[in-house]
Amino acid sequence: MDANATIGIDFLSKTMYLEDRTIRLQLWDTAGQERFRSLIPSYIRDSAAAVVVYDITNVNSFQQTTKWIDDVRTERGSDVIIMLVGNKTDLADKRQVSIEEGERKAKELNVMFIETSAKAGYNVKQVSNASSPHTASGGAPL
């Protein structure tokens, strides 16, 4: 995935081959833009997992994650795995959101948590790998 800023919507589709099935990942990146909120239900209608990403250098993006997670739960109920991801760890000197704050919010909202750097490739594969066993057991095979 491109590490540049998202303008509009970015989409990536990836097929993962697991031991007993094949799953398709569809990644929709709205960069948290409010104008795309109404599209969320169609993005996640058949999803087994959702990844909500915030920028660790932008406290406002972190604060907005609660409502994005609420949107996912409104559409999917408890029938979805949700992962909260703090991105841009390569900009640690500009950090506004601590790891502890991310962990605390994830615990409060009962979601998984990880920090990444899409630019540096840090923990990016772990995001898909962390949800794959859950997705594989709950998602429909292709």
Side-chain angles (χ1 to χ4, degrees):
M1 197 182 282
D2 188 34
N4 295 325
T6 301
I7 300 172
I9 295 178
D10 196 10
F11 172 75
L12 173 70
S13 183
K14 179 180 178 180
T15 302
M16 292 183 66
Y17 302 97
L18 303 175
E19 292 175 15
D20 62 341
R21 65 181 67 205
T22 301
I23 59 170
R24 185 177 55 236
L25 298 176
Q26 293 182 343
L27 305 173
W28 298 86
D29 182 356
T30 65
Q33 298 173 70
E34 286 296 318
R35 62 186 169 149
F36 299 116
R37 281 182 73 94
S38 64
L39 301 175
I40 294 299
S42 60
Y43 291 164
I44 63 172
R45 185 167 292 125
D46 299 319
S47 298
V51 178
V52 176
V53 181
Y54 66 92
D55 176 349
I56 69 162
T57 70
N58 181 332
V59 72
N60 183 54
S61 75
F62 178 69
Q63 293 167 342
Q64 299 300 314
T65 59
T66 300
K67 69 180 175 178
W68 288 98
I69 290 170
D70 288 346
D71 286 351
V72 171
R73 289 208 168 115
T74 296
E75 183 63 29
R76 297 290 294 141
S78 60
D79 193 30
V80 64
I81 300 300
I82 303 174
M83 180 178 284
L84 180 63
V85 177
N87 190 36
K88 299 191 180 180
T89 58
D90 55 291
L91 300 176
D93 58 322
K94 297 179 181 175
R95 179 185 285 273
Q96 294 181 1
V97 181
S98 70
I99 294 171
E100 293 77 20
E101 288 172 297
E103 290 171 338
R104 186 170 34 254
K105 180 176 270 199
K107 187 174 181 179
E108 289 170 6
L109 297 173
N110 196 30
V111 299
M112 299 168 72
F113 176 76
I114 194 169
E115 282 197 340
T116 66
S117 169
K119 185 175 183 178
Y122 173 72
N123 271 349
V124 173
K125 286 189 179 195
Q126 285 80 342
V127 171
S128 60
N129 291 345
S131 61
S132 292
H134 303 289
T135 303
S137 64
L142 294 176

